[in-house]
Amino acid sequence: MRDQNCIFCKIANGEIPSAEVYEDELFRVILDMGPASRGHALILPKEHFKDVCELEEPYASRVLALGGKIGDAMKKGLGCTGFNLVQNNGKSAGQTVFHFHMHVIPRYDDNAPIVSWTPGSASPEELQETAAQIKSCL
Ligand code: AMP
Ligand code: ZN
């Protein structure tokens, strides 16, 4: 299904032009208009899913392999030495466009970290309690 009001549905289906990197029957991969690094790409399913929790087959089982394929091509074509696969779910996680997408962000040796955090601390008891809270909802 597509959402008539969704810009990524329009881009994924070729209604709005984009800097296209790849297309198949399920996905279109385009360059991000506000790149975190040179070559920053977005993998867009052609159907509308709000986030990873809604993502259906066959998209779900294909998207990670496609991320690897695009990242590999970036290493060969752009000379990056690594890449981040980033996928935000929900406003609090930084999602701004509510059509599932996976970022493929090329990393070069002189880049500052993009995906990083300061490690916190938790006691073994806290970890067990937190794990139990998640487990009870699976
Ligand atoms: P997120 O914060 O994970 O929702 O990422 C949304 C990304 O989409 C941002 O990196 C934007 O720069 C990018 N973006 C938004 N609109 C467009 C567009 N029309 N074409 C290309 N990239 C876009
Ligand atoms: Zn959409």
Side-chain angles (χ1 to χ4, degrees):
M1 287 286 275
R2 288 168 54 179
D3 178 335
Q4 295 305 318
N5 300 314
C6 173
I7 185 155
F8 278 8
C9 277
K10 293 191 172 94
I11 294 173
N13 289 282
E15 284 169 31
I16 294 179
S18 60
E20 183 187 308
V21 170
Y22 174 87
E23 186 192 5
D24 64 20
E25 72 282 13
L26 297 178
F27 299 99
R28 189 181 301 268
V29 182
I30 64 160
L31 292 188
D32 195 297
M33 70 179 187
S37 68
R38 182 168 177 266
H40 179 171
L42 300 171
I43 299 177
L44 310 178
K46 291 184 174 180
E47 278 193 74
H48 184 85
F49 305 101
K50 183 178 58 145
D51 59 20
V52 74
C53 301
E54 284 194 353
L55 194 67
E56 291 173 6
E57 293 299 339
Y59 302 92
S61 56
R62 301 256 191 102
V63 69
L64 197 57
L66 181 54
K69 181 184 170 94
I70 300 296
D72 201 38
M74 287 169 166
K75 288 205 270 185
K76 291 174 183 143
L78 301 177
C80 61
T81 48
F83 58 93
N84 294 112
L85 296 178
V86 179
Q87 203 276 305
N88 299 325
N89 298 282
K91 196 168 166 223
S92 63
Q95 187 176 7
T96 58
V97 181
F98 293 85
H99 173 123
F100 173 96
H101 52 280
M102 183 175 279
H103 298 258
V104 189
I105 307 176
R107 305 307 308 280
Y108 303 89
D109 285 341
D110 56 352
N111 277 177
I114 292 172
V115 183
S116 67
W117 58 86
T118 306
S121 62
S123 66
E125 294 75 26
E126 282 177 300
L127 294 177
Q128 289 298 338
E129 191 187 324
T130 306
Q133 284 179 300
I134 301 168
K135 218 186 262 186
S136 69
C137 295
L138 287 173

